[in-house]
Amino acid sequence: MIKTIQGNTPKLGKDCYVAETAAIIGDVVMGDNCNVWFSAVVRGDMEKVRLGNRVNIQDCAVIHVAPGYGDVLMGDDVTIGHGAIVHGAKISDCVLIGMGATLLDNCHIGKGSIVAAHALVLKDTVIGEYEIWGGVPAKFIKKITPEKADEMIRWNAEEYVTWSKYFMEENPETAINPTV
């Protein structure tokens, strides 16, 4: 489902896949080869949501914003795990947000970082580049090398692009795949 609100209609890049039970609402701009999976919600109704290329929003994840806390901004090759919540956060390139993790308003996730499954990243938290954080509330666990981050995180983004192509090819009647 793609919905316009207050005159803002979502804009999807080339070769994006949106599952028929997902919702993309309002001032949302997606890069190329993004995918939004079943029952996920991307709401740009109160502020902007901007996604880079090869961003995958997995099943039941929620991307939302609150007035006054700024936009949700994501770089390239970002994975938002199943059931995760991203609320008013800034996420750099090549980042993995684990299943069930929650990012609260105005947190910043540095390039090549991983937020572990079910972690709670509190408001205004800044995670540096190539770090792993986990727990409730989330705390620094360890650094990872750029090579390891690239291997683990970029692979995941590429894998979801491949899966989205299978869905679009085998189910063309349900795929939403506009070209800008």
Side-chain angles (χ1 to χ4, degrees):
M1 168 179 27
I2 296 180
K3 288 199 164 288
T4 299
I5 186 82
Q6 295 185 331
N8 293 308
T9 301
K11 295 173 182 59
L12 282 66
K14 192 172 71 170
D15 295 324
C16 290
Y17 171 73
V18 178
E20 59 272 354
T21 59
I24 303 177
I25 302 159
D27 195 354
V28 175
V29 177
M30 297 169 63
D32 297 338
N33 293 300
C34 292
N35 40 83
V36 182
W37 293 90
F38 300 95
S39 300
V41 177
V42 181
R43 281 181 54 198
D45 52 354
M46 297 178 187
E47 299 281 352
K48 299 174 185 173
V49 175
R50 300 294 183 262
L51 309 179
N53 299 312
R54 296 170 307 282
V55 171
N56 74 84
I57 311 295
Q58 296 176 2
D59 309 68
C60 300
V62 176
I63 312 302
H64 193 236
V65 292
Y69 285 102
D71 307 329
V72 170
L73 305 174
M74 293 186 200
D76 297 336
D77 301 307
V78 172
T79 293
I80 306 298
H82 307 286
I85 298 171
V86 175
H87 205 271
K90 314 294 186 268
I91 300 173
S92 299
D93 293 340
C94 199
V95 167
L96 171 64
I97 306 301
M99 293 183 277
T102 300
L103 277 57
L104 297 179
D105 294 317
N106 199 41
C107 61
H108 296 254
I109 313 301
K111 180 179 181 176
S113 290
I114 296 172
V115 174
H118 298 286
L120 173 62
V121 180
L122 299 177
K123 178 181 169 194
D124 299 323
T125 299
V126 177
I127 294 177
E129 292 187 354
Y130 305 105
E131 295 181 355
I132 298 176
W133 283 54
V136 178
K139 304 266 188 236
F140 173 80
I141 295 173
K142 68 178 186 177
K143 294 286 272 184
I144 58 174
T145 65
E147 296 77 23
K148 191 67 171 171
D150 190 62
E151 171 190 325
M152 293 170 56
I153 300 168
R154 200 171 312 277
W155 171 86
N156 201 0
E158 291 169 357
E159 185 72 11
Y160 269 85
V161 169
T162 299
W163 275 104
S164 70
K165 290 186 187 317
Y166 294 148
F167 273 81
M168 288 188 286
E169 289 169 5
E170 295 181 36
N171 304 281
E173 74 285 357
T174 61
I176 299 171
N177 187 25
T179 301
V180 175

